[in-house]
Amino acid sequence: MTELSINGQQHRLELEPETPLLWAIRDTVGLTGTKVVCGIQQCGTCTVLIGKRSVRSCGITVGEVRSEEHTSELQSRTNLVRRLLREKKTV
């Protein structure tokens, strides 16, 4: 049993510790904003925030994510860029 906090919600997942975080987010939790493209940590479309650190979720397992860490799904690079631009305009 693995417990993850994703986007502020607690999830109890029946997954093996070596399951990629990407598959846990997409297939088990059902959040499909995290994309699957290369699968080798190169393209960045599967990037999520763990705490304040951005991580390629295809290259980290659910067993490597500590239960007290918060994982946030990044919906897409386009949305991230738009949000950062809005924040910059308000500064």
Side-chain angles (χ1 to χ4, degrees), residues 3-15:
E3 290 190 30
L4 295 174
S5 174
I6 302 175
N7 294 340
Q9 294 183 347
Q10 283 297 120
H11 298 274
R12 297 183 97 176
L13 311 174
E14 299 255 352
L15 297 171

Side-chain angles (χ1 to χ4, degrees), residues 1 11 18 26 34 38 40 54 64 67 76 79 81 83 90:
M1 177 72 64
H11 298 274
E18 52 278 340
R26 287 186 58 85
T34 303
C38 73
I40 57 171
S54 61
E64 294 175 282
S67 61
S76 70
N79 290 340
V81 169
R83 182 177 59 84
T90 60

Side-chain angles (χ1 to χ4, degrees), residues 9-41:
Q9 294 183 347
Q10 283 297 120
H11 298 274
R12 297 183 97 176
L13 311 174
E14 299 255 352
L15 297 171
E16 296 295 323
E18 52 278 340
T19 302
L21 181 60
L22 174 62
W23 301 124
I25 293 170
R26 287 186 58 85
D27 296 344
T28 307
V29 179
L31 299 173
T32 58
T34 303
K35 302 300 180 198
V36 181
V37 176
C38 73
I40 57 171
Q41 303 179 53

Side-chain angles (χ1 to χ4, degrees), residues 19-73:
T19 302
L21 181 60
L22 174 62
W23 301 124
I25 293 170
R26 287 186 58 85
D27 296 344
T28 307
V29 179
L31 299 173
T32 58
T34 303
K35 302 300 180 198
V36 181
V37 176
C38 73
I40 57 171
Q41 303 179 53
Q42 296 298 309
C43 69
T45 61
C46 67
T47 301
V48 296
L49 294 175
I50 299 179
K52 294 185 177 187
R53 188 173 53 111
S54 61
V55 175
R56 307 256 166 82
S57 62
C58 70
I60 188 170
T61 65
V62 294
E64 294 175 282
V65 179
R66 294 190 309 266
S67 61
E68 69 272 7
E69 291 181 313
H70 175 80
T71 304
S72 297
E73 179 188 33

